[in-house]
Amino acid sequence: DTAPAYGDSEIILGEYSLALKNIPIVTKTVNIPDAADDVDTFNRLLNGFNQSLTRLNVGKVDALLVHSSKALTEKGSQEIGRAHV
């Protein structure tokens, strides 16, 4: 279990991605401020998730946790579930 907010944890795990290939990876989305609009929320979640995949050195994760339930109610949020999880 990791997240962008956990310092360098994604980068460190990414350095060992081949050794960890049989271990499930769970990460969390970035936190989105309440003032963000629907499009901004979706884009920030997707961009943050793609950055996590890059840092983790993987093409997908086993699970994606959402930092705030508000992000699940925003327009387009269902698309996050289809993105590399």
Side-chain angles (χ1 to χ4, degrees):
D1 173 27
T2 188
Y6 299 166
D8 292 335
S9 63
E10 291 179 330
I11 293 169
I12 292 167
L13 287 173
E15 291 174 1
Y16 297 96
S17 62
L18 291 177
L20 301 174
K21 67 181 177 181
N22 294 322
I23 296 175
I25 298 174
V26 178
T27 195
K28 188 184 293 184
T29 64
V30 295
N31 188 23
I32 305 296
D34 288 340
D37 64 27
D38 292 347
V39 174
D40 186 48
T41 295
F42 175 73
N43 288 333
R44 289 183 64 188
L45 287 175
L46 186 59
N47 290 337
F49 179 56
N50 285 327
Q51 289 173 3
S52 288
L53 291 176
T54 298
R55 286 188 294 267
L56 289 164
N57 198 25
V58 296
K60 65 178 188 170
V61 295
D62 296 282
L64 176 65
L65 305 176
V66 179
H67 188 64
S68 169
S69 62
K70 178 186 182 302
L72 295 175
T73 63
E74 300 298 327
K75 182 179 177 183
S77 63
Q78 66 277 5
E79 296 300 318
I80 279 293
R82 295 186 187 119
H84 313 292
V85 178

